[in-house]
């Protein structure tokens, strides 16, 4: 049952056929942007398009990531698959999103020649079988084994316990006929840690399961209803030696194990997938803001002036307080994700050329931004939903689906707390390097630098003061965490125990570091934005709100060593309220600029034409239960209940 | 499809048949509580029961609210209905939860005699039709009309516009045959505001709709899948004059309108329902904590000691940081809800006796705690879910259902922001009274009192210092909000504009006030708790964590005027980490004490016996899609896709 059906045909085709309604003018959208043309960010440029090409553009916008991601345009059986089921996942998605990239990065030339073209053409459909019932993010704990048998030159795959059962991979339940399996490699009586193996699951003739394989879906989930996430048990399944991904590590015919030159190169796919996740968080939050802000411009409620007409709820300061910071966050994450993609592309080239020195920085950036954006993105989507009142709870709003699509990002591809602690580990390394007199590269260079003890912020709250405050906070928390670790070690704790006892502090340090990145990158990005002066002014306001609100939300961390004072807090609070007033007339235009067609939002509340009540009513009318006036349960349950003897 | 089916029979009967597994001993539960007996709070007493009576007790625990609520034991067609579908709502629930209480409070003796017994016996099934497509919390904006026609002595009910359509009432779609309708009363050409009318919707013979009534379900929702929330359009539906609820207001035969003596008495049902919501938030958060903490004692992951066995994830400081404050919040809300119930009962008696002076305080308490606990409760449930990693996202965890059941509490029965601003309005009134030299009653007496300028907190972080800090913060924010309002008014803003321009500040003040209530009441409640000294020590620790963590989460608000300093913050941070260590051995016992049987939790992760992986696997095996090895979509979609010509 799809909400799409409640949109009449002319609306389904996208916003180009809409009439511009009066309420939109009331929001003065044309003060900033320009009537009904569509404005889209491409990289850091704001570009105006004709509306005819909206769909095509949306897809290239979402997928403008890297060469691997271009494969995703062949996602499903149509380049338009993504717009056919927005905010759902495709069971074939893992084939293009993870199976193919794994082959490309881990396969030898022979292996790529054998499988890659088949996978691209969907002659075989693969998935990525890593997570087990008992293990997720901690890969070394995986229990599945691949034991080499030199007699037959085969690996024997086993899930030796219940908790070794592969669990969760997308498309694994009933769709995939191949997968790459992550398993502990045993050869010549020794375990060499986890490696990746190609496994055919099902017959290409009739899709029946091959011997030794038990597999199915894992059952109902919060979301991902369109995906057959599955489980997999392996009982002595034999695969040829050539099915081990051997670009880096190798097992020779006699069972001799050859180590890879550098184990870190295998991080590539992981970093790429995490960059997709950051992009996803930015897009999902932008969608939710679009729905909530458009609806708040349509919805009228209560009174501001006694006896006056009911105002748009977007005029309430409390509504602005909840929505505008999220709008600014959506913009901040857009730019963060763009930066991450570019960094990935740049560093990837270096890695291909054998230079790995930038990899730790990239790895920490990917892990940190993945955690930071998915936490804030999913919590923000729920705030948007709750800001739509009761109707936000209906699937007609489109918001519940966006939430359940975004929130697992906090868990998959590396649990967020673990990710933050990986960032912290990198920061502690940087801190030690600095103490040893080394210069730190790029973005982390602020760590351990001498800094002002007190902010010079005044009531203007300049970008310079904002960035200095975030730098000071992150540097202080990193310093604190390092000190705390040190003090535990000095009092006799082993390093691992000191780490665990300091991990809340380490988490907070990593979080502050990621926050600083998003703030500084937002400021840098809009400085480089090629837009007209009006648009630039608006983007500056949005950016300033992001910085100001972030300080106020975490005020204690900025005040704890008196870097900011109560007086500064007052400046910031006043500035925030001023920014709400300034942003109010541009708010609808700012979400329109994300350029989501109605077809993608699938929301009665976020419709471009503002006809929300008619859409909600139409949605209700179409519910299957409304097809008969008296429901069958009346005869089976209600009537017997009503006619039963007194129950008192 | 119910998760219940994956529990074998002996488990479905509740915890009494479980064996005590070794992992439970590892958590030293018996250090605090006593083996396998069940400990339950009743009011403020911790009582130990035999396990045989768990179900009976659970129900009385949940329903020990008030005389009206006792009707809920007749909820559905069995006193066990609640345990038959935990965390779902019953379409007949509104009959007992709102229809009957409305009749009891708003009906005349004749009206009660006519309908009440029928409703109790479910000979008629009613709902409460208030919310409209275009209006929720702002009742004065409702558009439905009831126009008196003295010729026929009838009211004519109309929903005169699309946005007047009644929307959302539970059970309205296909279940209810009666409802009370909230409508604008027109008589003798004049509107007298909203009043309540009894309306029969459907025939008691065959359940067909009566003339002039259009009605159906509103379509799919985030949760509440078991409830037929509905819509209702009324086209000149005539009802007898006697169908207006006339206990307070009246319309005489000739159309003369008689005003009620005091309009505030109608708040009774609202306050009662909000007290149910607070109780619900406490219970839901307690359920989620039970699942997450039990699972965290079973789940092992990663390593703390190099090469050592994988620790229970509850041993990670970051996991404690996320879960233990929520556990303390669940306890805090339990006591808050108990207090609220008692206050309601006490003040209700006064109201019945005609004394309304305590009503504003009760109304503010109900509105504030409703908002404060539903915000914190629903956000907390999601943290618990995310703490369970990937498996938390499966419906097998039971957690998504708890969340979607709790989170609409932020919206229904008064949108939370509006509720908080109602509290703020009461606080501003108190502040003015105090300035005028009056003494403030009861809990609000701290407002405007002279206070210490700086905290005397030391590293022990005493309850006295904690309460003083919360009082100081709330009093300061109330003062700030009042000043801000005043300054806008002095610079020429009309009062309503000054209010809106100060509403973020007002919101923060109300929030701080509610937070103070929860902290202080928690401390008072455990002081009065009749428990042994070991249990008392544990409850003190839980309570201290609630106070300490709440300050750290809102540190800026405590530091902004230097009441707390950086040094105090350090004491608090150290205390928090110490409390994590102290609480760790008792954590599982503390959730066991909530006494939710497996049957209620419906969670593979929160099972009392800790057999989570087997339960997840069993749950997966039972999924309908697993009944055939090859799914039908292989023939309809996948095979054609795989055999299509190259798409590259």
């Amino acid at each position: 049952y799809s909400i799409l059906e409640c949109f009449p045909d002319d609306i389904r085709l996208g916003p180009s056929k809409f009439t511009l309604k009066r309420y939109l003018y009331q929001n003065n959208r044309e003060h900033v942007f320009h009537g009904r043309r569509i404005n889209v960010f491409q990289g850091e440029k704001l570009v105006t398009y004709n509306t005819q090409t909206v769909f095509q553009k949306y897809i290239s916008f979402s997928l403008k990531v890297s060469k691997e991601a271009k494969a995703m345009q062949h996602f499903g059986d149509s380049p338009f698959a993504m717009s056919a089921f927005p905010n759902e996942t495709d069971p074939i998605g893992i084939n293009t999103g993870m199976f193919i990239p794994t082959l490309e990065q881990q396969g030898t030339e022979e292996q790529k020649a054998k499988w890659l073209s088949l996978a691209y053409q969907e002659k075989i459909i693969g998935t990525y079988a890593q997570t087990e019932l008992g293990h997720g993010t901690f890969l070394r704990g995986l229990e599945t084994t691949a034991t080499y048998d030199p007699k037959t030159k085969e690996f024997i795959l086993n899930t030796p316990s219940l908790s070794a059962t592969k669990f969760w991979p997308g498309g694994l339940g009933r769709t995939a006929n191949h997968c790459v399996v992550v398993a502990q490699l045993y050869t010549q009586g020794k375990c060499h840690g986890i490696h990746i193996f190609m496994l055919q699951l099902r017959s290409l003739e009739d899709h029946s399961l091959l011997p030794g394989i038990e597999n199915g879906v894992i059952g109902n989930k919060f979301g991902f209803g369109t995906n057959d996430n599955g489980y997999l048990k392996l009982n002595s399944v034999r695969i040829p030696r050539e099915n081990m991904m051997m670009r880096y590590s190798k097992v020779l015919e006699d069972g001799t194990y050859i180590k890879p030159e550098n184990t870190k190169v295998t991080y590539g796919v992981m970093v790429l997938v995490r960059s997709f996740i950051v992009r996803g968080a930015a897009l999902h939050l932008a969608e939710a803001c679009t729905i909530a802000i458009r609806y708040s411009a349509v919805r009228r409620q209560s009174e501001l002036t006694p006896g006056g007409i009911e105002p748009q709820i977007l005029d309430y300061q409390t509504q602005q307080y909840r929505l505008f910071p999220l709008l600014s966050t959506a913009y901040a994450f857009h730019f963060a994700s763009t930066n991450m993609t570019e960094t990935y592309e740049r560093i990837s080239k270096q890695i291909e050329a054998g230079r790995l020195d930038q990899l730790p920085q990239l790895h920490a950036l990917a892990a940190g931004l993945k955690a930071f954006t998915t936490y804030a993105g999913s919590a923000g989507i729920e705030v948007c939903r709750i800001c739509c009142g009761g109707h936000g709870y209906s699937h007609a709003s489109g918001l519940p689906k966006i939430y359940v699509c975004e929130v697992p990002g906090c868990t998959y591809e590396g649990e967020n707390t673990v990710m933050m602690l990986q960032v912290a580990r990198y920061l502690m390394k940087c801190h030690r390097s600095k103490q040893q007199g080394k210069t730190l590269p790029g973005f982390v260079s602020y760590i351990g630098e001498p800094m002002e003890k007190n902010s010079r912020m005044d009531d203007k709250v300049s970008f310079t003061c904002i960035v200095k405050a975030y730098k000071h906070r992150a540097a202080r928390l990193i310093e604190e965490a390092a000190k705390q670790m040190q003090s535990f070690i000095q009092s006799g704790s082993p390093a691992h125990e000191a780490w665990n006892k300091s991990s809340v502090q380490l988490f907070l340090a990593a979080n502050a570091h990621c926050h600083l990145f998003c703030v500084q990158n937002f400021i840098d990005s809009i400085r480089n934005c090629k837009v007209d002066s009006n648009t630039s002014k608006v983007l500056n306001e949005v950016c300033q709100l992001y910085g100001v609100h972030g300080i106020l939300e975490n005020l204690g961390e900025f005040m704890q060593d008196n870097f900011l004072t109560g007086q500064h807090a007052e400046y910031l609070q006043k500035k925030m309220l001023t920014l709400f007033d300034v942003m109010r007339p541009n708010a609808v235009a700012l979400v329109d600029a994300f350029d989501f067609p109605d077809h993608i939002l699938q929301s009665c509340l976020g419709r471009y034409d503002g006809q929300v009540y008619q859409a909600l009513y139409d949605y209700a009318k179409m519910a299957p239960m409304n097809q008969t006036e008296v429901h069958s349960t009346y005869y089976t349950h209600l009537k017997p209940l009503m006619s039963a003897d007194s129950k008192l």
Side-chain angles (χ1 to χ4, degrees), chain A:
Chain A
Y1 182 65
S2 163
I3 189 184
L4 276 179
E5 288 156 36
C6 91
F7 288 103
D9 269 343
D10 62 334
I11 292 167
R12 269 198 240 171
L13 296 173
S16 57
K17 291 199 178 179
F18 290 145
T19 8
L20 187 54
K21 297 281 168 184
R22 200 166 56 87
Y23 90 88
L24 296 171
Y25 280 115
Q26 286 172 356
N27 287 290
N28 306 328
R29 78 170 62 216
E30 73 276 50
H31 284 194
V32 186
F33 298 113
H34 319 284
R36 199 46 223 148
R37 278 171 291 163
I38 301 284
N39 302 280
V40 190
F41 284 102
Q42 275 206 331
E44 281 153 358
K45 263 196 301 183
L46 192 71
V47 180
T48 302
Y49 285 91
N50 293 324
T51 51
Q52 300 306 322
T53 53
V54 160
F55 270 80
Q56 197 59 51
K57 210 166 32 56
Y58 176 76
I59 287 159
S60 61
F61 170 59
S62 307
L63 299 181
K64 194 203 148 291
V65 182
S66 74
K67 66 176 176 11
E68 283 89 354
K70 280 178 193 134
M72 287 182 78
Q73 295 208 27
H74 302 279
F75 183 74
D77 55 350
S78 143
F80 294 96
M82 193 176 236
S83 58
F85 40 88
N87 298 321
E88 302 272 15
T89 66
D90 179 347
I92 303 175
I94 301 286
N95 184 64
T96 37
M98 291 194 73
F99 183 73
I100 289 174
T102 303
L103 268 170
E104 286 181 333
Q105 296 210 3
Q106 304 287 323
T108 62
E109 290 309 315
E110 301 76 49
Q111 289 175 325
K112 287 197 256 187
K114 183 169 177 189
W115 289 304
L116 210 47
S117 155
L118 292 173
Y120 267 119
Q121 295 175 70
E122 289 142 356
K123 300 283 180 200
I124 64 173
I125 292 168
T127 184
Y128 185 86
Q130 178 173 295
T131 313
E132 299 173 355
L133 253 181
H135 284 93
T137 304
F138 181 62
L139 298 186
R140 275 182 292 153
L142 292 176
E143 295 177 66
T144 302
T145 56
T147 309
Y148 186 64
D149 178 358
K151 277 184 236 130
T152 60
K153 291 166 193 156
E154 287 172 322
F155 289 101
I156 309 160
L157 297 178
N158 269 301
T159 48
S161 66
L162 176 67
S163 58
T165 309
K166 294 291 177 190
F167 217 81
W168 279 105
L172 174 63
R174 285 297 179 257
T175 302
N177 48 42
H178 280 68
C179 70
V180 284
V181 177
V182 182
Q184 302 286 354
L185 166 63
Y186 284 85
T187 179
Q188 296 177 337
K190 223 183 126 185
C191 178
H192 294 279
I194 57 164
H195 288 74
I196 302 176
F197 303 84
M198 171 68 74
L199 170 67
Q200 183 173 349
L201 297 164
R202 289 172 179 270
S203 152
L204 293 180
E205 293 307 308
D206 62 5
H207 212 54
S208 61
L209 286 169
L210 299 187
I213 292 172
E214 180 195 329
N215 141 298
V217 300
I218 64 162
N220 292 348
K221 297 146 292 178
F222 201 7
F224 276 51
T226 53
N227 202 318
D228 55 325
N229 298 78
Y231 74 88
L232 172 66
K233 286 186 163 202
L234 300 168
N235 184 8
S236 297
V237 178
R238 288 180 168 263
I239 54 170
R241 187 182 67 92
E242 293 77 12
N243 278 25
M244 174 174 150
M245 294 289 111
M246 293 217 205
R247 180 166 174 193
Y248 300 106
S249 321
K250 287 176 182 53
V251 171
L252 304 184
E253 287 198 1
D254 68 349
T256 306
Y257 177 71
I258 312 282
K259 270 205 290 194
E261 283 179 39
N262 189 307
T263 53
K264 285 179 182 162
V265 288
T266 58
Y267 288 171
V269 176
M270 214 187 273
V271 169
L272 175 68
V273 171
R274 285 176 191 159
S275 84
F276 290 164
I277 295 173
V278 173
R279 165 88 23 166
L283 281 171
H284 284 142
L285 183 57
E287 288 182 323
C289 285
T290 303
I291 295 168
I293 287 177
R294 284 184 181 166
Y295 178 61
S296 298
V298 175
R299 179 77 167 180
R300 293 177 172 278
Q301 197 76 178
S302 198
E303 45 189 32
L304 274 176
T305 324
I309 61 159
E310 293 183 81
Q312 296 161 299
I313 57 173
L314 199 54
D315 288 333
Y316 289 99
Q317 195 186 57
T318 44
Q319 189 80 345
Q320 297 168 1
Y321 178 53
R322 293 195 292 171
L323 290 177
F324 290 174
L326 292 173
L327 175 61
S328 75
T329 305
Y331 273 83
F333 289 179
H334 165 82
F335 288 113
S337 122
T338 304
N339 177 305
M340 192 172 162
T341 304
E342 287 166 4
T343 309
Y344 173 75
E345 286 183 349
R346 197 177 63 244
I347 297 181
S348 281
K349 278 176 204 145
Q350 298 174 5
I351 295 172
E352 290 292 326
R355 286 177 43 209
L356 300 176
D357 52 316
Q358 295 278 312
L359 198 56
Q361 196 186 331
L362 176 63
H363 190 249
L365 179 69
L369 286 183
K370 182 268 186 193
F372 189 77
T373 59
T374 53
Y375 270 146
S378 43
I381 292 162
E382 271 297 86
V383 173
C384 288
R385 195 183 61 67
I386 292 170
C387 277
C388 293
H391 299 325
Y393 192 71
S394 167
H395 273 302
S397 73
L399 289 162
K401 205 168 72 170
I402 298 173
Y403 180 67
V404 297
C405 189
E406 175 55 30
V407 74
C410 295
T411 308
Y412 58 53
E413 302 307 321
E415 202 280 327
N416 275 0
T417 311
V418 179
M419 293 299 94
M420 281 297 191
L421 290 177
Q422 283 183 8
V423 177
R425 210 171 277 282
Y426 173 69
L427 295 175
M428 289 301 106
K429 217 174 270 178
C430 291
H431 185 262
R432 270 195 306 281
S433 295
K434 186 73 190 180
Q435 283 189 317
Q436 291 158 5
K438 290 179 198 155
T439 312
L440 295 176
F443 178 64
V444 289
S445 59
Y446 70 95
I447 298 171
E449 285 294 313
M451 281 187 195
E452 289 163 13
K453 285 210 161 173
N454 303 101
S455 173
R456 299 188 196 173
M457 188 182 287
D458 61 17
D459 60 355
K460 288 193 196 69
V461 190
S462 70
F463 280 143
T464 311
C465 287
I466 289 174
V467 170
K468 275 190 183 165
Y470 279 94
K471 269 193 185 162
H472 185 92
R473 167 212 191 196
R476 182 181 73 77
L477 288 171
I478 292 167
E479 186 72 34
E480 287 292 319
K483 267 191 206 157
Q484 195 172 320
M485 286 266 291
Q486 204 49 45
S487 103
F488 280 121
I489 285 169
Q490 275 165 3
S491 60
S493 295
H496 60 270
E497 203 179 295
W499 178 265
N500 188 37
K501 282 182 176 170
S502 309
S503 57
V504 167
Q505 194 66 44
L506 288 160
F507 181 94
L508 297 176
N511 183 65
H513 175 75
C514 297
H515 203 167
L516 165 62
F517 177 87
C518 289
V519 170
Q520 181 161 335
N521 177 68
F522 195 170
I523 296 171
D524 294 346
S525 301
I526 59 166
R527 276 193 186 136
N528 299 328
C529 242
K530 286 162 201 68
V531 290
D532 63 68
S533 63
N534 279 340
T535 307
S536 172
K537 182 170 166 295
V538 173
L539 285 174
N540 270 278
E541 290 154 5
V542 175
C543 181
Q544 199 176 19
L545 179 63
Y546 183 68
V548 167
H549 180 261
I551 297 175
L552 288 171
E553 282 294 288
N554 301 279
L555 192 56
E557 292 186 353
F558 291 87
M559 291 185 72
Q560 202 168 334
D561 65 345
N562 297 313
F563 183 78
L564 292 190
T565 63
Q567 177 63 64
H568 293 130
E570 225 171 271
Y571 292 149
L572 287 157
Q573 278 151 351
K574 282 210 175 127
K575 176 54 82 181
M576 180 175 77
L577 299 182
T578 311
L579 286 167
F580 290 166
D581 287 342
V582 172
M583 280 174 67
R584 170 63 186 89
N586 301 323
V588 174
L590 279 163
V591 296
D592 282 357
F594 290 129
D595 187 29
F596 296 110
D598 282 4
H599 188 94
I600 296 288
L601 293 178
Q602 289 197 68
S603 169
C604 294
L605 305 186
R607 286 165 65 111
Y608 185 84
D609 71 357
Q611 297 302 309
V612 302
Y613 297 131
Q614 188 62 47
L616 284 168
Y617 178 64
D618 293 345
Y619 179 83
K621 294 275 280 184
M622 290 180 46
M625 269 180 85
N626 289 337
Q627 302 320 307
T628 55
E629 182 176 310
V630 177
H631 194 250
S632 62
T633 48
Y634 168 71
Y635 305 104
T636 54
H637 290 79
L638 210 53
K639 201 173 176 186
L641 170 71
M642 287 167 62
S643 49
D645 285 340
S646 167
K647 282 154 296 250
L648 283 183

